[in-house]
Amino acid sequence: MADAAPLYETYLRAPLRFVRGEGVWLVTEGGERYLDFAAGIAVNSLGHAHPHLVAALKDQADKVWHLSNLYDIPGQETLGRRLVEATFADKVFFTNSGAEALECAIKTARRYHFSKGHAGKFHIITFEGAFHGRTLATIAAGGQEKYLEGFGPKTPGFYQVPFGDIAAVRDAIGEETAAILIEPIQGEGGIRPASKEFLQELRALCDEYGLLLILDEVQTGVGRTGRLFAHEWAGITPDIMAIAKGIGGGFPLGACLATAEAASGMVAGTHGTTYGGNPLAMAVGNAVLDVVLADGFLDHVRDVALVFRQGLAALKDRFPDVVEDIRGEGLLIGIKTKVPVADLLNAVRAEKLLAVSAGGNVLRLLPPLTVTAEEAREGLSRLERAAEKLTAAVKAA
Ligand SMILES: *Cc1c(COP(=O)(O)O)cnc(C)c1O
C-alpha cells in the first residue's frame, strides 16, 4: 500500500507537535510557544504540568497503579465523598471518559424505572444540537445525523426536541418517558446556554411526571463556568449528572453522580468497569479538587472571566465584520463569527493562540481555569491581531 500511516483517518489534525506544557503554554518540538486556550477541549482545567497534579500522580505511581473494582480503592471513597459533599448527589460511579459517564447515567435512569416495576419506561428526551459522546447510545442521544450515519440502526429510546422549547418537551413526554437529558450549556453545539427559566421548567416537568433529570456537565462542570457546576446558576439540582473532562485535569477520568433514589436500581452486578476509578485517576481527581475547592478559586475563575468578557465586548465593537456575538459563562466562552470559523481558528493559530471550533460557526475559548488576568489580556491581544487581519481580508474581497 502506498500510504502506510498507521492511524485511523478519523481526525484532520493540525500540523503541530507539542512536546511540553507549562501552565497555559504549550511548546512545540521546535521550541515555539503557543497560548493554550483550547486546554485539550476543556480538559486541562489546571493547565499543563501543574505541580500539585504532577506530585499526586508521581506519588501514586510509586505505590500501586491498578487494582480493579474487586477491592476497595481508598482514593475512590475519598473522591466520591468529596463530590457528594460538594453537590446534590449521594452516590458516585467512576468512569474513564465522558461518554462512559453518560452511559452510566442513561443506564441508571432506565434501571430506576425498571426497579419500580416500569420496564417500559426507557425513553429519554434530548435536545437538538446536543453532544453526549461517540458510543452507540450517546450518538443516539446526541441525535446528530453526521455522527449517526453509517453505524447501523440508531439505538432506540432517544427523542430530540428543539433546545429551549418547553412546549415541545411537554408534548414529547409519554408513558414510556424515563428522563430528560440536557447540557446546561451546549458545548460542541456552539456554546448555547439553556436559560435559567428553561432549566427550572425542566426540573418542574420532571417532578410533575416522575421523570429523572439528567445533566451532562462533562464540559461545563468542575469550575468551568465559575461555579462548581453550571446548574448552580439556575438554582436547580438534577437527579443524575455526568462529569468528566475537567475533573481529571488531563488524566482520563469521568463520573456519574446520582441521588440515592435515582441510583436505587443500580444494585450489585448491574454495571461495571475495569479501569474506572483506578488509583492513578483517583489520585489526580483528588488533587484537582484540592485546587478547585480551595477558598477563592472559583472567585478567581469569575474574576478572570470578567476580563475576557470586557475584552471580547470591545473586540465585537471594533471588528463587526468578524465577531457577531459573544456567549457563554465563566471560562466557557463562544465567539460566534461572521467569517467561516475555520478561518478564525487558523488566524488565531497563526498568532500562536489555540482555540477550538464548535457548531453554529462558533470559536470556543476554554482556557485553563488557572489563567491569570495578564495571560487573558495576552490572549485577547492575539485575538485582536487575528481579527485585524481577517477584517483586512474581508475588506479586500
Ligand atoms: C466531551 C463531551 C462528552 C464526551 O466525552 P468523552 O470523554 O469524549 O467520551 C460528552 N458530553 C459533553 C457535553 C462533552 O463535552
Side-chain angles (χ1 to χ4, degrees), residues 11 41-43 96-102 130-135 138 183 185-188 216-220 242 244-245 253 364:
Y11 281 100
I41 318 186
V43 166
N96 312 289
S97 66
E100 284 169 281
L102 264 304
F131 181 81
H132 299 297
R134 297 293 203 108
T135 63
T138 55
E183 298 155 84
I185 301 173
Q186 288 190 341
E188 308 294 317
D216 179 346
E217 292 234 25
V218 168
Q219 192 158 157
T220 53
K245 293 201 166 103
L253 170 58
R364 269 180 287 179

Tab-separated table of all heavy atoms in Angstrom, residues 11 41-43 96-102 130-135 138 183 185-188 216-220 242 244-245 253 364, ligand 1:
chain	number	residue	atom	x	y	z
A	11	TYR	N	-9.425	11.818	12.351
A	11	TYR	CA	-9.142	13.212	12.733
A	11	TYR	C	-8.351	13.931	11.647
A	11	TYR	O	-7.374	13.386	11.118
A	11	TYR	CB	-8.325	13.271	14.034
A	11	TYR	CG	-9.170	13.072	15.265
A	11	TYR	CD1	-9.224	11.841	15.897
A	11	TYR	CD2	-9.922	14.128	15.786
A	11	TYR	CE1	-10.011	11.661	17.035
A	11	TYR	CE2	-10.709	13.950	16.915
A	11	TYR	CZ	-10.754	12.723	17.531
A	11	TYR	OH	-11.529	12.543	18.648
A	41	ILE	N	-9.575	20.617	24.911
A	41	ILE	CA	-11.044	20.708	24.906
A	41	ILE	C	-11.590	20.653	26.344
A	41	ILE	O	-12.285	19.717	26.756
A	41	ILE	CB	-11.716	19.638	23.998
A	41	ILE	CG1	-10.947	19.482	22.670
A	41	ILE	CG2	-13.175	20.027	23.735
A	41	ILE	CD1	-11.610	18.569	21.651
A	42	ALA	N	-11.235	21.661	27.092
A	42	ALA	CA	-11.763	21.867	28.462
A	42	ALA	C	-11.306	20.783	29.448
A	42	ALA	O	-11.933	20.585	30.490
A	42	ALA	CB	-13.293	21.967	28.459
A	43	VAL	N	-10.240	20.101	29.129
A	43	VAL	CA	-9.763	19.001	29.978
A	43	VAL	C	-8.655	19.469	30.932
A	43	VAL	O	-8.682	19.157	32.124
A	43	VAL	CB	-9.258	17.833	29.109
A	43	VAL	CG1	-8.445	16.846	29.936
A	43	VAL	CG2	-10.439	17.125	28.454
A	96	ASN	N	-13.942	6.325	32.840
A	96	ASN	CA	-12.696	6.835	32.235
A	96	ASN	C	-12.934	7.981	31.265
A	96	ASN	O	-11.983	8.533	30.737
A	96	ASN	CB	-11.989	5.719	31.464
A	96	ASN	CG	-11.887	4.466	32.288
A	96	ASN	OD1	-11.125	4.426	33.238
A	96	ASN	ND2	-12.666	3.464	31.948
A	97	SER	N	-14.198	8.237	30.955
A	97	SER	CA	-14.471	9.228	29.909
A	97	SER	C	-15.872	9.792	30.103
A	97	SER	O	-16.670	9.270	30.909
A	97	SER	CB	-14.403	8.563	28.531
A	97	SER	OG	-15.469	7.628	28.403
A	98	GLY	N	-16.149	10.822	29.321
A	98	GLY	CA	-17.463	11.444	29.367
A	98	GLY	C	-18.550	10.525	28.843
A	98	GLY	O	-19.612	10.386	29.453
A	99	ALA	N	-18.299	9.884	27.704
A	99	ALA	CA	-19.323	9.011	27.118
A	99	ALA	C	-19.682	7.881	28.074
A	99	ALA	O	-20.858	7.529	28.212
A	99	ALA	CB	-18.838	8.458	25.785
A	100	GLU	N	-18.681	7.352	28.758
A	100	GLU	CA	-18.983	6.283	29.720
A	100	GLU	C	-19.774	6.817	30.917
A	100	GLU	O	-20.591	6.087	31.494
A	100	GLU	CB	-17.690	5.676	30.260
A	100	GLU	CG	-16.988	4.755	29.314
A	100	GLU	CD	-15.614	4.448	29.873
A	100	GLU	OE1	-14.718	5.309	29.718
A	100	GLU	OE2	-15.439	3.384	30.482
A	101	ALA	N	-19.519	8.039	31.316
A	101	ALA	CA	-20.293	8.638	32.404
A	101	ALA	C	-21.749	8.792	31.959
A	101	ALA	O	-22.679	8.547	32.732
A	101	ALA	CB	-19.701	9.982	32.806
A	102	LEU	N	-21.943	9.181	30.688
A	102	LEU	CA	-23.300	9.288	30.130
A	102	LEU	C	-23.967	7.926	30.027
A	102	LEU	O	-25.158	7.779	30.325
A	102	LEU	CB	-23.247	9.945	28.741
A	102	LEU	CG	-23.489	11.450	28.622
A	102	LEU	CD1	-24.817	11.860	29.223
A	102	LEU	CD2	-22.385	12.247	29.236
A	130	ALA	N	-27.336	18.815	20.670
A	130	ALA	CA	-26.637	18.237	21.827
A	130	ALA	C	-25.438	17.412	21.388
A	130	ALA	O	-25.352	16.942	20.254
A	130	ALA	CB	-27.589	17.348	22.617
A	131	PHE	N	-24.504	17.252	22.314
A	131	PHE	CA	-23.400	16.309	22.136
A	131	PHE	C	-23.182	15.583	23.445
A	131	PHE	O	-22.973	16.211	24.486
A	131	PHE	CB	-22.106	17.021	21.721
A	131	PHE	CG	-20.977	16.046	21.510
A	131	PHE	CD1	-20.869	15.329	20.326
A	131	PHE	CD2	-20.039	15.812	22.514
A	131	PHE	CE1	-19.847	14.393	20.141
A	131	PHE	CE2	-19.013	14.889	22.333
A	131	PHE	CZ	-18.923	14.177	21.144
A	132	HIS	N	-23.228	14.232	23.379
A	132	HIS	CA	-23.064	13.444	24.604
A	132	HIS	C	-21.979	12.383	24.480
A	132	HIS	O	-21.834	11.561	25.383
A	132	HIS	CB	-24.396	12.811	24.993
A	132	HIS	CG	-25.482	13.813	25.276
A	132	HIS	ND1	-25.389	14.726	26.307
A	132	HIS	CD2	-26.656	14.081	24.646
A	132	HIS	CE1	-26.477	15.491	26.313
A	132	HIS	NE2	-27.261	15.123	25.316
A	133	GLY	N	-21.233	12.373	23.366
A	133	GLY	CA	-20.165	11.386	23.222
A	133	GLY	C	-20.333	10.584	21.943
A	133	GLY	O	-21.226	10.851	21.146
A	134	ARG	N	-19.456	9.571	21.769
A	134	ARG	CA	-19.391	8.862	20.488
A	134	ARG	C	-19.670	7.367	20.586
A	134	ARG	O	-19.373	6.626	19.650
A	134	ARG	CB	-18.021	9.086	19.859
A	134	ARG	CG	-17.721	10.533	19.516
A	134	ARG	CD	-18.606	11.065	18.395
A	134	ARG	NE	-17.934	12.198	17.773
A	134	ARG	CZ	-17.387	12.170	16.558
A	134	ARG	NH1	-17.475	11.099	15.809
A	134	ARG	NH2	-16.764	13.233	16.088
A	135	THR	N	-20.169	6.886	21.726
A	135	THR	CA	-20.604	5.487	21.764
A	135	THR	C	-21.926	5.377	21.015
A	135	THR	O	-22.572	6.389	20.697
A	135	THR	CB	-20.808	5.023	23.213
A	135	THR	OG1	-21.859	5.803	23.794
A	135	THR	CG2	-19.535	5.157	24.045
A	138	THR	N	-24.662	7.103	22.982
A	138	THR	CA	-24.547	8.560	23.128
A	138	THR	C	-24.657	9.292	21.788
A	138	THR	O	-25.073	10.451	21.771
A	138	THR	CB	-23.262	8.970	23.878
A	138	THR	OG1	-22.115	8.412	23.234
A	138	THR	CG2	-23.299	8.517	25.327
A	183	GLU	N	-27.448	19.317	28.354
A	183	GLU	CA	-26.263	20.075	28.766
A	183	GLU	C	-26.756	21.465	29.196
A	183	GLU	O	-27.440	22.117	28.414
A	183	GLU	CB	-25.305	20.284	27.583
A	183	GLU	CG	-24.717	19.043	26.950
A	183	GLU	CD	-24.316	19.317	25.498
A	183	GLU	OE1	-23.214	19.823	25.256
A	183	GLU	OE2	-25.134	19.018	24.589
A	185	ILE	N	-25.175	24.133	29.219
A	185	ILE	CA	-24.709	24.964	28.104
A	185	ILE	C	-24.199	23.991	27.053
A	185	ILE	O	-23.303	23.196	27.334
A	185	ILE	CB	-23.560	25.905	28.532
A	185	ILE	CG1	-23.996	26.829	29.667
A	185	ILE	CG2	-23.067	26.730	27.332
A	185	ILE	CD1	-22.865	27.682	30.255
A	186	GLN	N	-24.792	24.022	25.865
A	186	GLN	CA	-24.305	23.121	24.823
A	186	GLN	C	-22.893	23.537	24.427
A	186	GLN	O	-22.659	24.695	24.085
A	186	GLN	CB	-25.232	23.159	23.600
A	186	GLN	CG	-26.562	22.472	23.848
A	186	GLN	CD	-27.375	22.293	22.573
A	186	GLN	OE1	-27.141	22.975	21.560
A	186	GLN	NE2	-28.341	21.382	22.624
A	187	GLY	N	-21.963	22.574	24.496
A	187	GLY	CA	-20.565	22.866	24.199
A	187	GLY	C	-20.255	22.714	22.724
A	187	GLY	O	-20.122	23.705	21.992
A	188	GLU	N	-20.177	21.448	22.271
A	188	GLU	CA	-19.894	21.183	20.856
A	188	GLU	C	-20.923	21.889	19.962
A	188	GLU	O	-20.614	22.282	18.845
A	188	GLU	CB	-19.940	19.679	20.557
A	188	GLU	CG	-19.090	18.813	21.456
A	188	GLU	CD	-17.615	19.058	21.284
A	188	GLU	OE1	-17.146	19.189	20.136
A	188	GLU	OE2	-16.927	19.133	22.313
A	216	ASP	N	-25.766	16.691	31.617
A	216	ASP	CA	-24.438	16.391	31.079
A	216	ASP	C	-23.566	17.601	31.364
A	216	ASP	O	-23.653	18.623	30.680
A	216	ASP	CB	-24.540	16.113	29.574
A	216	ASP	CG	-23.167	15.811	28.957
A	216	ASP	OD1	-22.143	16.076	29.607
A	216	ASP	OD2	-23.142	15.341	27.802
A	217	GLU	N	-22.756	17.491	32.415
A	217	GLU	CA	-21.824	18.578	32.770
A	217	GLU	C	-20.384	18.155	32.480
A	217	GLU	O	-19.452	18.571	33.177
A	217	GLU	CB	-22.019	18.990	34.237
A	217	GLU	CG	-23.363	19.677	34.486
A	217	GLU	CD	-23.223	21.035	35.167
A	217	GLU	OE1	-22.153	21.674	35.037
A	217	GLU	OE2	-24.193	21.452	35.815
A	218	VAL	N	-20.232	17.337	31.453
A	218	VAL	CA	-18.894	16.871	31.088
A	218	VAL	C	-18.000	18.064	30.715
A	218	VAL	O	-16.831	18.109	31.086
A	218	VAL	CB	-18.970	15.840	29.944
A	218	VAL	CG1	-17.589	15.563	29.360
A	218	VAL	CG2	-19.604	14.542	30.444
A	219	GLN	N	-18.579	19.034	30.012
A	219	GLN	CA	-17.780	20.200	29.595
A	219	GLN	C	-17.963	21.390	30.542
A	219	GLN	O	-17.035	22.158	30.777
A	219	GLN	CB	-18.161	20.599	28.161
A	219	GLN	CG	-17.214	21.585	27.532
A	219	GLN	CD	-17.244	21.595	26.002
A	219	GLN	OE1	-16.880	22.557	25.378
A	219	GLN	NE2	-17.681	20.530	25.386
A	220	THR	N	-19.168	21.539	31.094
A	220	THR	CA	-19.488	22.724	31.901
A	220	THR	C	-19.064	22.588	33.365
A	220	THR	O	-19.085	23.581	34.092
A	220	THR	CB	-21.012	22.975	31.873
A	220	THR	OG1	-21.675	21.757	32.256
A	220	THR	CG2	-21.492	23.379	30.498
A	242	ALA	N	-23.599	13.553	34.670
A	242	ALA	CA	-22.364	13.001	34.116
A	242	ALA	C	-21.308	14.090	34.104
A	242	ALA	O	-21.574	15.218	33.680
A	242	ALA	CB	-22.605	12.495	32.694
A	244	ALA	N	-16.797	14.704	33.504
A	244	ALA	CA	-15.521	14.135	33.027
A	244	ALA	C	-14.590	15.324	32.785
A	244	ALA	O	-14.535	16.220	33.614
A	244	ALA	CB	-15.708	13.278	31.780
A	245	LYS	N	-13.913	15.334	31.646
A	245	LYS	CA	-13.031	16.438	31.257
A	245	LYS	C	-12.314	17.077	32.450
A	245	LYS	O	-11.321	16.534	32.921
A	245	LYS	CB	-13.815	17.458	30.416
A	245	LYS	CG	-14.234	16.851	29.056
A	245	LYS	CD	-14.552	17.875	27.998
A	245	LYS	CE	-14.630	17.246	26.614
A	245	LYS	NZ	-15.970	17.030	26.094
A	253	LEU	N	-10.649	10.524	33.247
A	253	LEU	CA	-11.494	10.325	34.429
A	253	LEU	C	-12.857	10.945	34.208
A	253	LEU	O	-12.966	12.092	33.771
A	253	LEU	CB	-10.817	10.978	35.653
A	253	LEU	CG	-11.645	11.087	36.937
A	253	LEU	CD1	-12.121	9.741	37.425
A	253	LEU	CD2	-10.833	11.787	38.025
A	364	ARG	N	-14.569	28.376	20.198
A	364	ARG	CA	-14.574	28.219	21.655
A	364	ARG	C	-13.240	28.629	22.250
A	364	ARG	O	-12.194	28.215	21.764
A	364	ARG	CB	-14.795	26.746	22.029
A	364	ARG	CG	-16.208	26.352	22.228
A	364	ARG	CD	-16.307	24.879	22.588
A	364	ARG	NE	-16.049	24.006	21.467
A	364	ARG	CZ	-16.049	22.672	21.530
A	364	ARG	NH1	-16.256	22.066	22.676
A	364	ARG	NH2	-15.827	21.950	20.453
B	1	LIG	C1	-16.657	15.790	25.553
B	1	LIG	C2	-18.078	15.596	25.896
B	1	LIG	C3	-18.644	14.314	26.018
B	1	LIG	C4	-17.887	13.059	25.691
B	1	LIG	O1	-16.772	12.885	26.491
B	1	LIG	P1	-15.641	11.804	26.034
B	1	LIG	O2	-14.684	11.829	27.171
B	1	LIG	O3	-15.086	12.272	24.744
B	1	LIG	O4	-16.333	10.500	25.888
B	1	LIG	C5	-19.958	14.216	26.426
B	1	LIG	N1	-20.695	15.313	26.683
B	1	LIG	C6	-20.192	16.554	26.577
B	1	LIG	C7	-21.054	17.729	26.903
B	1	LIG	C8	-18.880	16.736	26.161
B	1	LIG	O5	-18.391	17.980	26.028
